[in-house]
Amino acid sequence: MAFTIKEASERLGCPAHTIRFYEKEGLLPYIKRDKNGNRLFEQDHLDWLRVMTCFRATGMKLSLLKEMVDLALDGDSTIPQRKAILNQYKEDLFRRQNELTTALDAVNNKLSIYEEIAKGKTPSESQLLVKMEESERQQTRNEGLTNETKNFRQ
Amino acid sequence: MAFTIKEASERLGCPAHTIRFYEKEGLLPYIKRDKNGNRLFEQDHLDWLRVMTCFRATGMKLSLLKEMVDLALDGDSTIPQRKAILNQYKEDLFRRQNELTTALDAVNNKLSIYEEIAKGKTPSESQLLVKMEESERQQTRNEGLTNETKNFRQ
DNA sequence: TTAAACCTTAAAGTACACTTTAAGGCAAGT
DNA sequence: ACTTGCCTTAAAGTGTACTTTAAGGTTTAA
């Protein structure tokens, strides 16, 4: 069974123009056409598009996807190269996971500081993101000073 | 104690030009200057820069960082807005975590398919990313056919 | 005193991934 | 016949975040 570009677009939640762009970039080889030249997508194309969307959302560049497609077109002998690419990408994914964890910690810390301020408590000096709050509470004291002498601490 | 831009750059692993760019965009208020106009960074600035780098690496846009800075400059009364921004961002982080998990699953699946191929096994029909391999093994059979009749399945 | 190694600014350029625009073909319904 | 709605292409435009360039000022060591 074959799908029109609109059906593909709807199924993937991906703009038709983007799909055409991907095909033009060589990321989606061997798309057939009907007698009017309209694209016909097979389920396999949708599957691969979904994978590309997934990899793109997590930081893989189009150029790397292109490399993988080109290697795949060259046959099984390129599997070692493709394995190397995916293992490298996997490292990237782990690094991103760590970055997300760090960012979540920072956000939660910031939010807890807001709670402390709401309760009228003084936040700890050493915490990340605390200084910004302190500077805010200095703002009234800073009024009337020149820019040069303001001691805003982000 | 104050740091030059080079010292700040080295401590953060962030190009000096990027730091200047951030200051110009209003993300780093109240940086002092020495008598020659050279920037002097306090520890607080480095701390905030580190937070911005952390948030940037996890998808926060500069425009949102700018909003947060501007709100912070307006004092404690803007804490509800900043809380809303951070809670929204937290949702983004969770979504990204899910996307990473999905991508890792897809990568591991792909890698396991490579193993199966190495062992000469036929990969399961229904698995994500399998079709690409199949199409590769079809390549030899496809030779001699026109582009139109090729049935490459990505 | 002059070269190296910093620093400054403004502005232009780059990378990436779309996204939009313009111009037009085909088929089905009224 | 003609409007609607789908499709096509090539090319230009956009947004984001830097990054590089150009031109020049200051400090320090040889």
Side-chain angles (χ1 to χ4, degrees), chain A residues 29-30 44 48 72-73 76 82-83 86 90 108 110 114-115 129 132 136 150 152-154, chain B residues 29-30 44 48 72-73 76 82-83 86 90 108 110 114-115 129 131-132 136 150 152-154:
Chain A
Y30 302 135
D44 306 329
W48 175 235
L73 289 169
D76 281 3
R82 282 180 274 159
K83 234 165 131 170
L86 286 183
K90 206 168 152 180
N108 286 331
K110 181 83 174 160
Y114 289 153
E115 292 307 316
L129 280 167
M132 196 164 197
E136 286 158 19
K150 267 183 189 170
F152 181 92
R153 295 186 296 167
Q154 191 69 37
Chain B
Y30 303 135
D44 307 328
W48 174 235
L73 289 170
D76 281 3
R82 282 180 274 160
K83 236 165 130 170
L86 286 184
K90 207 168 152 181
N108 285 332
K110 182 82 174 160
Y114 289 152
E115 291 309 316
L129 281 166
K131 307 294 180 158
M132 197 164 198
E136 286 159 18
K150 267 183 190 170
F152 182 92
R153 296 186 295 165
Q154 188 70 38

Side-chain angles (χ1 to χ4, degrees), chain B residues 33-51:
Chain B
R33 305 295 183 115
D34 70 11
K35 64 175 167 51
N36 294 314
N38 294 347
R39 290 172 183 82
L40 292 173
F41 295 84
E42 299 296 329
Q43 186 59 48
D44 307 328
H45 297 123
L46 303 198
D47 292 344
W48 174 235
L49 260 172
R50 206 179 293 278
V51 171

Side-chain angles (χ1 to χ4, degrees), chain A:
Chain A
M1 192 206 164
F3 304 95
T4 66
I5 197 161
K6 201 197 180 196
E7 288 162 344
S9 168
E10 278 161 1
R11 260 155 234 262
L12 296 165
C14 175
H17 273 294
T18 302
I19 298 175
R20 291 194 196 99
F21 171 70
Y22 281 7
E23 196 207 4
K24 201 176 64 183
E25 295 295 303
L27 298 171
L28 220 35
Y30 302 135
I31 301 276
K32 288 183 192 154
R33 303 297 180 115
D34 70 11
K35 64 175 168 53
N36 294 314
N38 294 347
R39 289 173 184 82
L40 292 174
F41 296 85
E42 300 296 329
Q43 186 58 49
D44 306 329
H45 297 124
L46 302 198
D47 292 344
W48 175 235
L49 259 171
R50 206 180 293 280
V51 170
M52 287 201 290
T53 302
C54 166
F55 285 5
R56 280 288 307 122
T58 49
M60 184 178 279
K61 292 193 176 175
L62 290 187
S63 56
L64 201 53
L65 283 171
K66 182 60 162 52
E67 272 186 55
M68 289 185 27
V69 171
D70 289 345
L71 287 169
L73 289 169
D74 269 357
D76 281 3
S77 67
T78 64
I79 284 181
Q81 285 111 292
R82 282 180 274 159
K83 234 165 131 170
I85 288 174
L86 286 183
N87 278 315
Q88 169 63 62
Y89 173 51
K90 206 168 152 180
E91 292 303 308
D92 288 355
L93 293 177
F94 288 142
R95 185 179 40 72
R96 277 174 212 272
Q97 280 186 327
N98 289 334
E99 287 169 345
L100 285 179
T101 303
T102 304
L104 269 171
D105 286 350
V107 170
N108 286 331
N109 183 59
K110 181 83 174 160
L111 286 171
S112 74
I113 287 161
Y114 289 153
E115 292 307 316
E116 285 179 18
I117 290 170
K119 289 178 192 151
K121 286 177 190 165
T122 304
S124 145
E125 275 283 341
S126 61
Q127 276 176 312
L128 201 69
L129 280 167
V130 166
K131 308 294 181 157
M132 196 164 197
E133 309 307 326
E134 289 174 2
S135 71
E136 286 158 19
R137 269 166 279 112
Q138 279 189 342
Q139 282 304 93
T140 36
R141 273 169 275 156
N142 280 334
E143 266 150 42
L145 297 176
T146 72
N147 261 352
E148 283 76 39
T149 54
K150 267 183 189 170
N151 187 27
F152 181 92
R153 295 186 296 167
Q154 191 69 37

